[in-house]
Structures are given as C-alpha cells and as structure tokens.
Amino acid sequence: MRLLTHNGLTSPLPPHSTPLKILPTTLSLSPPTRSPNSPDDSTFVRSLLQNSRVDYFAVVKALEDIRPCLSQISCEHLSLPPELPEGEVGEEVVGSLVTLLLQIRVMEGELLDEVTGRRFDVKGGIANMMLLEDEVGEGATPKT
C-alpha cells in the first residue's frame, strides 16, 4: 500500500476516522515509474500539494508511524517539517514527499483506527478494510 493511498483512506466505521495509524512490519521501496506522456514525480507531487489533494498532516504522521521500519529500506534520513512551508515548497521537501507518497509501500502490518480500536490487516501491500458481519449496521445489505 502506497502512502498516497493511505493518505486518502478513512475508517469504514463511524465516525470514519482519519488518518489511520500505520503499524508496519515490512516496507518496500519501489523505483519511480514513468510513462512517456506523464509528468515527472516531483511535478505530480507539487500538483497534489497545490490542489490540496494531500493531507500534509497525515503524511507527517505516516512518516512517524513508519519511522521504526525505515532502516529496512535504507531511508532513515527521510524528514519533513511539521507544517508545510508557505509559498514555494523546496526541492528537499518535494523529494521526501515523492519517496514517501510514491515509492515507499507498506507490504505487511496493520492500520489502526485510534477512535474505535479496530485494526485492519495489510498483507502483500493490500489493506483489507472489509468489515466483519457484526460491524455492519442493522438493515445494511452487503453490496455484491
């Protein structure tokens, strides 16, 4: 699960908490992928920031959540300022965001809804956000 994906997740349980705490056991680092007609990764990340498509606070929190496992992928050096700088974002911050949002993947671990205490497994890089039968509200019908 890329941290860009994590950034958009909310708990499926009321009150639909965000951000979910990451409890990683295994991380991987993917090289950047490029297609001939797409913008480079730093341009893409700058666009996400300018259009408020990324919850920066959640990215900073995700970095702190995964910090104990960063040595697995030789990324202990990654850092972000606690708040997004005003105006133009510097290359160092953008570079860290590219690595965090697009290249680091949580391969194994859990996501924790800190409000309800519910944990969601992450296996093979995929977060299982399915609710258990007893967590589905009365009268709800499962979608097929």
Side-chain angles (χ1 to χ4, degrees):
M1 174 188 66
R2 287 185 183 176
L3 296 186
L4 181 58
T5 302
H6 169 265
N7 195 264
L9 289 178
T10 60
S11 174
L13 294 171
H16 308 290
S17 306
T18 184
L20 298 169
K21 182 170 183 61
I22 303 171
L23 305 170
T25 54
T26 307
L27 300 178
S28 72
L29 184 65
S30 303
T33 56
R34 297 236 162 47
S35 41
N37 297 323
S38 68
D40 69 7
D41 291 342
S42 60
T43 302
F44 176 65
V45 166
R46 285 182 189 282
S47 172
L48 291 173
L49 293 172
Q50 289 170 352
N51 295 308
S52 301
R53 299 287 187 194
V54 170
D55 178 348
Y56 184 78
F57 169 75
V59 177
V60 171
K61 187 173 181 313
L63 173 58
E64 294 313 310
D65 290 348
I66 67 170
R67 186 164 298 289
C69 293
L70 287 176
S71 61
Q72 294 175 7
I73 54 174
S74 301
C75 286
E76 304 90 339
H77 64 282
L78 281 176
S79 66
L80 289 173
E83 294 183 16
L84 194 59
E86 296 274 335
E88 186 69 24
V89 179
E91 288 301 317
E92 186 175 326
V93 172
V94 170
S96 292
L97 287 169
V98 165
T99 301
L100 283 165
L101 294 172
L102 304 177
Q103 296 175 333
I104 292 178
R105 295 181 186 206
V106 178
M107 298 305 294
E108 305 292 330
E110 294 178 319
L111 299 176
L112 172 65
D113 178 339
E114 295 181 287
V115 173
T116 66
R118 174 69 153 81
R119 293 172 182 250
F120 301 94
D121 288 335
V122 177
K123 293 187 180 187
I126 299 171
N128 180 355
M129 304 295 289
M130 297 281 294
L131 295 177
L132 302 173
E133 190 173 321
D134 63 341
E135 296 172 317
V136 178
E138 282 188 48
T141 56
K143 295 180 180 179
T144 55

